[in-house]
């Protein structure tokens, strides 16, 4: 699993099927999500990721519970989130939940942090939405320390202090889960990811390519500024939304009622308008391949591509057929083409094992027997959150 990882993310919506009028139960939607994750592994994809929502019509209010179950019924795929709310979840609980998940999944997990897009979630969890960015910065600074330090003494502005706190269990092999910072529109999040040398994930399903280009270029420039390597060495992920049929006309005809009634973008621009302005791809496998390959023109060589395939009331049978086409006809071609002309500075997608190897190699290079021990780049005093 090198170069670019391919997988799917789900937002876990419970939406009526506009062609039949039937709405699945919450139990059905959760079971179907597990079936989708198992199919992701079966067809040879790399990643399954779930969102986090705390309101109807969504079911993934406890992502690590779901991923822990999926870990027991899969063997290979990476289990991630497509948003863990760093603002309204307590960082101590995030640290605990993902450390446990790491051990259950034998390291097959990472995490994507974000602020979410539901304003009322802040008071539901005792927070003030006006503090969204300060919460993000403070909570994440604490989360990093919890995963990396044996005993943590901490005092901040937005939660009670910690005194002599030790996380249990500790991260597997002493390696914290790799962190992606997910964002749709906020340059401050690109800056935060760059400051720490973490991954930056552009949601990439609502906005035009010009916006995604701007955000990724900012992240790459700031990644270099903060001393983590060249811009090409930055870790980038993209979202996307596809609906595939062997024939493009069939894909458009079949998907149109789902698009027109989708809870997040239905009743707005037409399917054709939305497809021309955003990364949404509805068509044949070849059309999906061509449009996805075009992402490199403005994102550069990147490490993770996740597709949304189960939104807007699509029945499970249709979703599994999408995965068969992705795994059988689309992703094998993308893997080959993404390897062509790849920058030598572009790293492979991070995994637990690659992070473990990198740590061991660094430790070996800094041992007393080593003739030269490279110095780590100096970090600035504090992360900037102005998007500068």
């Amino acid at each position: 699993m090198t170069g670019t990882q391919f997988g799917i993310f789900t937002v876990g919506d419970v939406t009526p099927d506009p062609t039949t009028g039937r709405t699945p139960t919450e139990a059905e939607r959760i079971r179907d999500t597990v079936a989708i994750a198992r199919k992701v592994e079966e067809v040879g994809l790399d990643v399954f990721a779930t969102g986090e929502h705390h309101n109807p019509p969504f079911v993934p209010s406890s992502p690590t519970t779901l991923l822990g179950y999926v870990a027991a019924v899969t063997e290979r795929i990476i289990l991630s989130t497509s948003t863990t709310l760093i603002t309204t979840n307590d960082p101590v609980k995030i640290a605990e939940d993902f450390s446990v998940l790491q051990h259950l999944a034998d390291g097959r997990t990472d995490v994507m942090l974000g602020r979410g897009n539901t304003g009322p979630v802040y008071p539901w969890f005792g927070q003030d939405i006006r503090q969204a960015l300060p919460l993000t910065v403070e909570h994440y600074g604490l989360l990093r320390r919890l995963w990396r330090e044996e005993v943590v003494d901490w005092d901040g502005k937005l939660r009670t202090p910690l005194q002599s706190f030790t996380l249990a269990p500790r991260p597997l092999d002493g390696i914290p889960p790799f962190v992606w910072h997910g964002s749709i529109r906020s340059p401050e999040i690109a800056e935060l990811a760059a400051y720490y040398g973490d991954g930056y994930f552009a949601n990439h399903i609502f906005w035009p390519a010009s916006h995604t280009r701007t955000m990724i270029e900012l992240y790459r420039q700031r990644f270099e500024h903060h001393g983590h390597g060249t811009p090409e060495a930055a870790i980038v992920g993209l979202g996307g939304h596809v609906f595939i049929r062997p024939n493009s006309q069939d894909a458009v005809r079949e998907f149109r009622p789902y698009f027109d009634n989708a809870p997040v973008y239905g009743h707005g621009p037409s399917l054709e308008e939305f497809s021309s302005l955003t990364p949404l791809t509805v068509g044949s496998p070849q059309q999906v391949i061509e449009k996805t390959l075009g992402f490199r023109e403005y994102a550069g060589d990147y490490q993770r591509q996740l597709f949304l395939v189960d939104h807007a009331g699509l029945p499970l049978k249709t979703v599994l057929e999408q995965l068969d086409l992705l795994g059988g006809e689309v992703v094998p071609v993308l893997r080959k083409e993404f390897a062509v002309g790849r920058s030598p500075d572009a790293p492979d997608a991070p995994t637990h094992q690659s992070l473990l190897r990198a740590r061991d190699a660094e430790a070996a290079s800094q041992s007393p027997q080593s003739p030269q021990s490279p110095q780590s780049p100096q970090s600035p005093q504090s992360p900037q959150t102005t998007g500068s």
Side-chain angles (χ1 to χ4, degrees):
M1 196 190 306
T2 58
T4 302
Q5 297 165 342
F6 295 91
I8 71 106
F9 71 99
T10 179
V11 296
D13 59 305
V14 182
T15 304
D17 185 329
T19 67
T20 65
R22 185 181 183 279
T23 303
T25 67
E26 292 175 323
E28 287 174 327
R29 186 66 169 101
I30 292 169
R31 289 195 295 268
D32 287 352
T33 303
V34 173
I36 291 167
R38 298 182 74 168
K39 187 71 169 182
V40 166
E41 178 156 289
E42 177 189 322
V43 301
L45 302 184
D46 305 311
V47 183
F48 170 80
T50 176
E52 177 183 347
H53 295 276
H54 297 276
N55 56 292
F58 302 97
V59 293
S61 57
S62 181
T64 52
T65 303
L66 173 66
L67 294 177
Y69 186 93
V70 173
V73 296
T74 59
E75 297 180 354
R76 184 186 56 80
I77 55 173
I78 292 175
L79 308 175
S80 187
T81 51
S82 47
T83 301
T84 290
L85 300 178
I86 187 62
T87 46
T88 51
N89 285 306
D90 187 83
V92 174
K93 188 59 175 166
I94 294 176
E96 291 175 338
D97 285 349
F98 279 89
S99 285
V100 171
L101 181 60
Q102 268 195 317
H103 287 273
L104 286 172
D106 196 24
R108 296 185 292 120
T109 188
D110 55 36
V111 58
M112 188 192 303
L113 301 176
R115 291 175 293 152
N117 60 3
T118 305
V121 76
Y122 286 82
W124 294 342
F125 287 86
Q127 299 292 356
D128 184 345
I129 193 172
R130 293 170 296 183
Q131 297 293 321
L133 283 171
L135 279 166
T136 299
V137 174
E138 182 171 296
H139 280 186
Y140 183 54
L142 175 55
L143 177 62
R144 285 181 62 87
R145 290 188 60 189
L146 293 168
W147 273 332
R148 288 166 171 80
E149 299 177 21
E150 189 72 27
V151 180
V152 175
D153 291 292
W154 179 91
D155 192 4
K157 297 179 179 179
L158 299 171
R159 80 177 305 280
T160 54
L162 290 179
Q163 295 180 348
S164 301
F165 180 84
T166 295
L167 179 69
R170 303 298 299 159
L172 179 66
D173 300 320
I175 301 291
F178 184 80
V179 172
W180 300 86
H181 297 266
S183 177
I184 296 176
R185 62 186 179 276
S186 301
E188 294 88 348
I189 303 305
E191 169 66 23
L192 186 67
Y195 172 80
Y196 285 111
D198 295 332
Y200 175 68
F201 189 91
N203 184 278
H204 203 224
I205 63 173
F206 298 115
W207 290 68
S210 58
H211 173 77
T212 302
R213 180 197 299 270
T214 298
M215 297 290 284
I216 291 176
E217 287 180 351
L218 169 65
Y219 163 66
R220 291 188 183 278
Q221 291 163 5
R222 299 298 292 176
F223 182 94
E224 180 182 40
H225 170 81
H226 290 304
H228 300 297
T230 67
E232 293 77 17
I235 309 294
V236 173
L238 293 180
H241 190 175
V242 297
F243 186 84
I244 319 170
R245 286 299 187 215
N247 179 283
S248 60
Q249 289 84 359
D250 290 339
V252 171
R253 174 186 52 77
E254 185 175 346
F255 188 65
R256 188 180 301 280
Y258 295 95
F259 175 88
D260 289 346
N261 294 280
V264 295
Y265 46 57
H267 311 288
S270 70
L271 174 59
E272 287 75 14
E273 290 171 324
F274 207 84
S275 298
S276 67
L277 295 173
T278 77
L280 173 66
T281 312
V282 180
S284 66
Q286 186 58 38
Q287 287 172 309
V288 173
I289 290 168
E290 291 174 359
K291 192 160 185 176
T292 305
L293 289 176
F295 298 165
R296 292 177 75 192
E297 296 175 6
Y298 52 88
D301 295 316
Y302 61 104
Q303 283 68 37
R304 177 170 288 184
Q305 174 66 61
L306 300 183
F307 295 108
L308 178 63
V309 299
D310 70 333
H311 181 52
L314 288 169
L316 177 62
K317 177 177 180 294
T318 301
V319 174
L320 300 183
E321 291 167 352
Q322 301 300 300
L323 291 171
D324 278 328
L325 289 166
L326 272 175
E329 299 188 34
V330 173
V331 168
V333 177
L334 292 177
R335 291 192 199 281
K336 293 178 182 178
E337 294 297 326
F338 271 45
V340 175
R342 191 175 181 89
S343 168
D345 282 351
D348 289 340
T351 65
H352 181 80
Q353 291 303 318
S354 71
L355 297 174
L356 183 58
R357 288 193 298 270
R359 186 198 63 184
D360 291 347
E362 181 180 6
S365 70
Q366 294 178 350
S367 67
Q369 292 77 21
S370 176
Q372 291 184 340
S373 297
Q375 298 296 312
S376 299
Q378 295 297 310
S379 295
Q381 294 301 308
S382 61
Q384 302 295 313
T385 57
T386 59
S388 58

